[in-house]
Amino acid sequence: MTPDDTTDPATSSAGAAPRRLRLGEMLVQAKVVSEAQVLHALGMQKTSGGRLGAILIQLKMCTEAQIRDALHTQFGVEVVDLRHVVPDHTLIELISVDLIRKYEVIPLKMEEHKLWIALLDPYNIYALDDIRFRTGVRHLVVTTCTETDYKRFIEEHLETRGIMDEILQEGDFYVRAVKFLQASDQDEEERQEALLSHELRLASSESPIIVLANFLLAEALKRGASDIHLEPFETSFRVRMRIDGRLQTILNPPQRLHNSVVARIKVMAAMDISKRRIPQDGHMEISYRGATVHFRVSTLPTVYGEKCVIRLLNKDFALADLNHLGLSEEHLRQFKHALEAPQGMILVTGPTGSGKTTTLHAGLNFINNPEVNIVTLEDPVEATMGGISHVAIQNQGGVTFSSGLRAILRQDPDVVFVGEIRDGEVAQIAIRAAQTGHMVLSTLHTNSAAESIARLLDLGAEPFVLSGTLQMVIAQRLVRKICGGCAEDKVPEEEEFFSLGLDPTDFSDVLFRQGKGCADCMETGYRGRTAVYEVIAVDRELRELIRRNAGSTEIAEASHRAGNVSLFAAGIDKVRQGMTTLAEVRRVLFSEE
């Protein structure tokens, strides 16, 4: 369809028409994807919803350009790239935000009593009739777009608009705030550093910037985010938050606000706002609803400006109860027994953000009493506990993991928590400490509990010494929990079981649930996370294998013979309990099996 057409595809044909090929069929015919890939994407569609094109793009099986070409063939209408569309807020108000969301339609332009729209389903007769009725415009020129483009447009131009209207009500000062940032000559910019610093400090003190910065911090706390990302690009400025382990876009403010907002954050974190071409680290704290919340701030110079990441560190939070971590009764008993041992080493392994520190802090809280001298060495100190001495790594001051651990061992500790074993020197000091009457707790970055043992041996640990000191290794991951506000009964398709190597008949007694998406979970269907554990209590057989410098495969097989389950099996058990979904287990744990 050309832009001059005044008909729409829903009414342009009469009589029996040949069946329109589905999007997946077209992509297969065009040899963009295979039939197997389409079937895999359709399986995910049945489980999680959404349109096939968006799922294929998410799986990186094809590009948006290929989906646009296929949509053009499928619908016979122009496919608009919404990235190049400037929103006309007059037209948005004409159609109304409610209809835009209901029918997944974007108004493009109005000319000579014709309204151009992009409709995800251009054959939706009810949508076209309702739009004509609501707008009073009889002639619609219908185009379409990809679901990915539609969601991006809504996110950038509608979700942000309300908050930014409030922030920008005093917009004149922004021109003053950024005029010194437009210098094209780098030398000229360097000569104006002092003046620029002064202007940025003034700009960051203006009320709209304060409102925006405070809003971001408060919103992160409200949503339970762990990080805030402020990211500048060539024509935009994006704000994302990591919620339940996944980054979600919250705002797309005008790019002209970026430097002032980052400057405001740097002022709050006692950082040097005049230095924008070198990485910086800072710290700030605020009072929020009666609690003191700490933030670690990091800036990194990029091509389009400073990327700023704010990590939330609630140092005064109520520590996790060991009994509520999600460990099974047997694993909980084993963990408590290991913690109460007079000496030895306990390791928790997993990637960054998998909850290792939370697990070990809960363990420290369990054994914390006036008769025990507990000292921690962390980078940074993420939570403080009464009765425990916390030491922060300060590389510039000479406090490294190795030097700090040596100093701590001269302080007559009973229990030492080392934030992370990063190299052979720290590993050997920690193992010697565990051998000489101390309980040592620490973390490693490996994929499984068995690999942690092999990793320590690779770092130079002596097999004979390690076999006598290692008490327990715990591997863990975090999976998202089904949102309680929108959970509904839904049995997965058989294909989803088969893709995970599972037999559907083994789950005939399981009540499967899935979140359909609501405001509380930001339409994700998940809210909160729970830990999945693989626990290896080192017994006589494992000590002998460690002494013989056995590989991780042999250690894992011995662990399974002893009745320990893998991370993947533990995740499936969470599905049986109705806490999470097969899709979430696939995302987080399937590669571990």
Side-chain angles (χ1 to χ4, degrees), residues 459-470:
L459 288 174
E462 298 178 8
F464 179 80
V465 177
L466 181 61
S467 67
T469 56
L470 191 60

Side-chain angles (χ1 to χ4, degrees), residues 208-515:
I209 290 296
I210 294 175
V211 171
L212 179 54
N214 291 346
F215 166 80
L216 295 178
L217 298 178
E219 191 71 6
L221 292 167
K222 175 184 174 183
R223 300 192 185 202
S226 60
D227 304 87
I228 308 170
H229 292 244
L230 311 180
E231 303 164 301
F233 297 100
E234 184 176 8
T235 60
S236 63
F237 161 34
R238 181 172 65 184
V239 179
R240 294 190 293 175
M241 294 184 185
R242 190 175 295 279
I243 302 170
D244 293 335
R246 304 299 299 273
L247 280 172
Q248 299 180 23
T249 301
I250 304 300
L251 292 174
N252 286 89
Q255 188 192 37
R256 66 181 184 274
L257 303 183
H258 169 258
N259 286 304
S260 295
V261 172
V262 172
R264 170 63 183 172
I265 297 297
K266 291 170 73 173
V267 167
M268 296 173 68
M271 300 162 70
D272 190 342
I273 65 173
S274 67
K275 296 179 179 178
R276 297 182 294 118
R277 292 188 294 275
I278 60 172
Q280 290 191 67
D281 295 301
H283 171 270
M284 62 181 172
E285 62 182 67
I286 66 171
S287 294
Y288 181 75
R289 294 183 177 176
T292 301
V293 185
H294 297 252
F295 299 85
R296 185 174 75 234
V297 181
S298 172
T299 61
L300 182 70
T302 71
V303 173
Y304 300 112
E306 287 180 290
K307 174 180 170 67
C308 179
V309 176
I310 306 168
R311 185 76 184 269
L312 280 69
L313 306 171
N314 191 350
K315 297 187 178 183
D316 298 324
F317 74 103
L319 287 168
D321 188 334
L322 197 61
N323 297 308
H324 298 110
L325 287 179
L327 289 160
S328 67
E329 291 185 9
E330 177 60 18
H331 287 159
L332 181 61
R333 183 194 64 78
Q334 292 176 335
F335 193 18
K336 288 181 177 180
H337 179 72
L339 287 167
E340 291 172 337
Q343 67 183 55
M345 174 180 283
I346 298 174
L347 292 176
V348 178
T349 183
T352 300
S354 60
K356 302 185 299 295
T357 302
T358 298
T359 296
L360 287 176
H361 278 185
L364 291 176
N365 199 38
F366 172 72
I367 60 177
N368 184 19
N369 67 70
E371 297 179 355
V372 180
N373 179 19
I374 304 176
V375 185
T376 75
L377 182 63
E378 303 170 74
D379 182 22
V381 176
E382 295 189 9
T384 57
M385 291 168 272
I388 294 180
S389 301
H390 297 275
V391 180
I393 295 297
Q394 299 179 22
N395 290 316
Q396 293 182 345
V399 182
T400 63
F401 274 112
S402 55
S403 66
L405 185 52
R406 287 193 181 92
I408 287 172
L409 294 177
R410 294 192 290 269
Q411 294 282 311
D412 186 32
D414 298 301
V415 179
V416 179
F417 169 49
V418 182
E420 181 184 348
I421 294 179
R422 297 181 177 178
D423 53 48
E425 184 180 10
V426 175
Q428 293 181 33
I429 298 172
I431 292 171
R432 291 194 197 102
Q435 186 185 27
T436 55
H438 306 88
M439 173 54 68
V440 178
L441 283 66
S442 190
T443 70
L444 273 176
H445 284 99
T446 57
N447 291 327
S448 67
E451 289 181 24
S452 297
I453 299 173
R455 173 62 175 159
L456 286 176
L457 294 172
D458 289 341
L459 288 174
E462 298 178 8
F464 179 80
V465 177
L466 181 61
S467 67
T469 56
L470 191 60
Q471 299 289 334
M472 176 173 284
V473 184
I474 301 174
Q476 73 176 77
R477 300 291 188 275
L478 294 176
V479 295
R480 293 179 294 173
K481 296 191 295 185
I482 298 170
C483 175
C486 61
E488 60 182 5
D489 297 344
K490 187 172 183 180
V491 179
E493 298 292 330
E494 287 191 349
E495 182 182 337
E496 188 168 3
F497 289 100
F498 295 144
S499 68
L500 291 170
L502 303 172
D503 185 348
T505 59
D506 294 337
F507 296 82
S508 58
D509 60 337
V510 176
L511 178 62
F512 287 96
R513 295 176 67 75
Q514 177 178 308

Side-chain angles (χ1 to χ4, degrees), residues 71-88:
L71 288 175
H72 177 69
T73 303
Q74 181 185 27
F75 291 126
V77 299
E78 179 186 355
V79 182
V80 180
D81 185 347
L82 294 181
R83 292 176 299 177
H84 307 303
V85 172
V86 179
D88 186 331

Side-chain angles (χ1 to χ4, degrees), residues 46-116:
K46 292 178 180 178
T47 302
S48 308
R51 283 180 165 79
L52 179 64
I55 295 172
L56 289 170
I57 293 172
Q58 179 185 353
L59 294 174
K60 301 188 185 304
M61 293 178 177
C62 62
T63 65
E64 284 194 48
Q66 291 169 326
I67 293 295
R68 291 190 186 100
D69 291 342
L71 288 175
H72 177 69
T73 303
Q74 181 185 27
F75 291 126
V77 299
E78 179 186 355
V79 182
V80 180
D81 185 347
L82 294 181
R83 292 176 299 177
H84 307 303
V85 172
V86 179
D88 186 331
H89 292 293
T90 302
L91 295 182
I92 289 175
E93 292 174 1
L94 176 66
I95 287 185
S96 82
V97 174
D98 290 340
L99 284 190
I100 287 174
R101 294 185 184 281
K102 180 179 180 180
Y103 296 124
E104 297 176 312
V105 59
I106 300 296
L108 302 176
K109 64 179 180 177
M110 173 83 83
E111 289 181 2
E112 298 177 353
H113 306 293
K114 298 177 187 177
L115 176 60
W116 273 255

